[in-house]
Amino acid sequence: MQTQSKRRYYTYIVCFMFFAALLLSPATLAQTSDCGIADTISYPIDRTFFHKAQGFAVSSPRHQGRYHTGEDWYGMRNQSYGQPVRAAARGRVTYSYTLGWGRDGGVVIIEHEFPDGTIAYTQYGHMTETDAYPFPTRFECVEPGQVIGVVGDARPAPHLHFEVRIANPDTPGPGYSWVNPYDEGFRDPQKFINNMQVRLKNGYA
């Protein structure tokens, strides 16, 4: 009886390893991660409605002088909450959690590959989801301009925290850093978008 149990046990193990190897094969992983090339990029919010309330690498008195790792975009008074947030470019979701920043809302991170081989990640923080605009799931492919959530009820007022980075593809991060954010792989979002728009327009590859 014990011999039969052992055989059955080893059979289960072999079957499990086989299916695990199949799921994690290079072909399967490539199919999961291939969401296409980002050939356009734009801001995640409507800039005729939102304005930049805090820039990149700015020292914040509210956060003991630490440096901002992204940009904060704020709309008209009492009208930011619930405004749609859109994917800046085509890509693959690497992180998505409605409580990514706890009390300060959800976070989505998207990986983008550009025609010249540049890999960058955009992060959207202080968001919430609605029935009409749920968060995309991890590994989901998103298209440029696709709504990925809405501005949540973050402190001190509803706004979008937007980051561009070349590292940490699936970690929300604190939003502020004691050192220069550029040295930690963060990039100035507005400068990155403006520069990449010019490169894409000119067919840079």
Side-chain angles (χ1 to χ4, degrees):
M1 190 69 177
Q2 290 182 346
T3 301
Q4 289 181 342
S5 297
K6 286 183 178 179
R7 287 177 179 172
R8 188 178 297 111
Y9 172 77
Y10 287 122
T11 299
Y12 288 152
I13 292 296
V14 170
C15 290
F16 173 79
M17 293 177 66
F18 172 78
F19 285 111
L22 181 64
L23 289 172
L24 296 176
S25 66
T28 303
L29 289 175
Q31 186 177 14
T32 301
S33 62
D34 184 12
C35 290
I37 299 298
D39 51 5
T40 64
I41 187 170
S42 59
Y43 291 88
I45 39 74
D46 181 356
R47 288 204 299 161
T48 62
F49 180 84
F50 284 82
H51 67 271
K52 187 166 64 174
Q54 186 177 41
F56 174 73
V58 174
S59 177
S60 172
R62 289 187 64 247
H63 296 86
Q64 300 81 45
R66 288 180 292 172
Y67 301 100
H68 201 208
T69 57
E71 295 174 343
D72 284 346
W73 289 88
Y74 173 73
M76 300 178 194
R77 185 174 180 84
N78 298 323
Q79 295 185 44
S80 296
Y81 179 73
Q83 290 295 321
V85 178
R86 303 177 184 276
R90 179 178 294 110
R92 178 177 67 105
V93 176
T94 57
Y95 182 91
S96 179
Y97 184 34
T98 54
L99 295 175
W101 271 346
R103 163 67 179 82
D104 287 317
V107 177
V108 171
I109 301 176
I110 304 174
E111 177 186 63
H112 312 281
E113 181 178 357
F114 294 93
D116 64 350
T118 296
I119 301 291
Y121 306 91
T122 53
Q123 174 179 301
Y124 313 78
H126 300 316
M127 290 203 302
T128 190
E129 63 178 359
T130 65
D131 291 341
Y133 300 124
F135 279 18
T137 58
R138 192 180 183 200
F139 301 131
E140 181 179 336
C141 294
V142 295
E143 290 298 310
Q146 178 178 330
V147 179
I148 56 172
V150 301
V151 175
D153 186 18
R155 295 172 289 182
H159 66 279
L160 175 72
H161 174 91
F162 178 56
E163 290 181 359
V164 174
R165 57 172 77 166
I166 59 172
N168 301 321
D170 54 7
T171 305
Y176 291 86
S177 173
W178 287 112
V179 300
N180 187 334
Y182 193 90
D183 295 335
E184 294 187 319
F186 296 95
R187 296 294 180 262
D188 183 322
Q190 191 164 3
K191 184 179 294 185
F192 183 91
I193 288 178
N194 291 345
N195 289 344
M196 188 59 73
Q197 284 177 336
V198 171
R199 292 162 70 174
L200 292 172
K201 182 178 179 180
N202 293 334
Y204 184 90

